[in-house]
Amino acid sequence: MNMQSYFPVPPGVGMEENFLSLDDILLSHERLPVRSDCAFPRLGFLEKSADTQDIAEGTKMELPLWLTKGLYEKKRKVVSVELPKVYREGWRTVFNADPNVVDLHKMGPYYYSLGSQLLHFDSPENPDIAQTLLQTFIGRFRRTMDSSQNAYNEDTSAVVERLDSLEKGASCLM
């Protein structure tokens, strides 16, 4: 008889989120850099470094993913989403060269999930981001498979601690 107090719920894919999944809840709190495209009266408390009661147009700040998705509309621009550093061209070059050298957990435990969420915001770099996400996963998956198959009496904690949450979930299934 299984006596778990919590039954794991798989995360959603793409824009479809599973609000019963702990991974999706944690992902929705990841912060994104945004720039306000209009003034926000009496919301200065959202910007921790602001001394004023209002948020002025053009203010750069970080907001959680769930709030950014709610404020980002194609018809009525309230905020513009800027790419986090790890998804910009400099890091994409590193990932394309050798994805295994990067500690994805240190960069953010939800690298793939957040990257797929970023694809839903309009950006001219979306095709490059999607390609890098795919190639990074493929490149790292080979090493993860090799490590899991050849780790009979070895300590794999050094390998596992560098994995993204999606990779950790995949390695547990092997």
Side-chain angles (χ1 to χ4, degrees), residues 28-86:
S28 71
H29 285 79
E30 288 286 314
R31 299 180 78 76
L32 293 177
V34 299
R35 187 183 72 248
S36 63
D37 291 340
C38 63
F40 294 107
R42 294 187 299 276
L43 290 178
F45 65 90
L46 290 175
E47 175 55 36
K48 294 178 175 86
S49 64
D51 297 344
T52 63
Q53 188 177 8
D54 302 334
I55 295 177
E57 182 177 344
T59 302
K60 291 184 178 185
M61 58 188 153
E62 287 190 348
L63 295 176
L65 176 63
W66 64 268
L67 182 56
T68 304
K69 286 169 75 173
L71 294 175
Y72 183 86
E73 295 180 11
K74 292 180 184 177
K75 292 180 181 177
R76 195 178 109 209
K77 292 288 251 176
V78 178
V79 295
S80 298
V81 179
E82 298 177 6
L83 289 178
K85 290 179 184 178
V86 74

Side-chain angles (χ1 to χ4, degrees), residues 99-100 112 134-150 159 163 167 174:
N100 292 306
Y112 299 109
L134 180 62
Q135 293 305 319
T136 300
F137 185 80
I138 290 170
R140 290 173 64 95
F141 186 72
R142 287 185 188 129
R143 183 169 182 219
T144 304
M145 283 291 292
D146 186 44
S147 296
S148 68
Q149 298 296 319
N150 299 317
V159 174
L163 299 178
E167 294 170 329
M174 295 177 222

Side-chain angles (χ1 to χ4, degrees), residues 71-121:
L71 294 175
Y72 183 86
E73 295 180 11
K74 292 180 184 177
K75 292 180 181 177
R76 195 178 109 209
K77 292 288 251 176
V78 178
V79 295
S80 298
V81 179
E82 298 177 6
L83 289 178
K85 290 179 184 178
V86 74
Y87 299 99
R88 293 183 188 159
E89 187 175 352
W91 277 104
R92 288 198 307 264
T93 305
V94 171
F95 285 118
N96 289 332
D98 187 5
N100 292 306
V101 300
V102 180
D103 183 350
L104 282 186
H105 188 75
K106 190 176 187 180
M107 296 297 191
Y110 300 102
Y111 172 76
Y112 299 109
S113 301
L114 184 59
S116 67
Q117 291 289 324
L118 285 173
L119 297 177
H120 299 287
F121 299 111

